[in-house]
């Protein structure tokens, strides 16, 4: 049975795995769209990271000036989280 032709039956998975797969290259328009998607995803990640970095760098001053989280500025408490701080960090993603 192994050497005989299988008429009317779909190819077995072993035959498909043994056959070399030849993939046609993507047309240039598809490649252009792929590169554009990658570029804009990287750009979006960089800008979001920059916004979060800048916001977190000035978070201590924002907490002191606007009395966020009850205005707690004791050592170690400026790193504590509260809904107001979370809202400020979320706004960075909107802008």
């Amino acid at each position: 049975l192994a050497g005989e032709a299988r008429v009317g039956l779909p190819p077995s998975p072993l035959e498909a795995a043994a056959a070399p797969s030849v993939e046609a290259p993507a047309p240039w328009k598809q490649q252009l769209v792929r590169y554009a998607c990658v570029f804009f995803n990287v750009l979006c990640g960089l800008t979001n990271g920059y916004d979060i970095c800048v916001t977190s760098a000035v978070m201590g001053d924002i907490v002191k000036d606007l009395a966020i989280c009850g205005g707690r500025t004791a050592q170690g408490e400026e790193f504590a989280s509260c809904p107001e701080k979370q809202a400020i960090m979320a706004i960075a993603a909107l802008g």
Side-chain angles (χ1 to χ4, degrees), residues 6-52:
R6 297 168 30 136
V7 178
L9 296 174
S12 72
L14 297 176
E15 290 173 2
S21 67
V22 177
E23 217 176 285
W28 68 271
K29 287 183 181 180
Q30 284 183 343
Q31 287 182 346
L32 182 65
V33 169
R34 287 179 189 167
Y35 292 140
C37 288
V38 168
F39 172 76
F40 286 112
N41 280 326
V42 168
L43 187 65
C44 184
L46 288 173
T47 56
N48 283 338
Y50 178 77
D51 290 343
I52 290 173

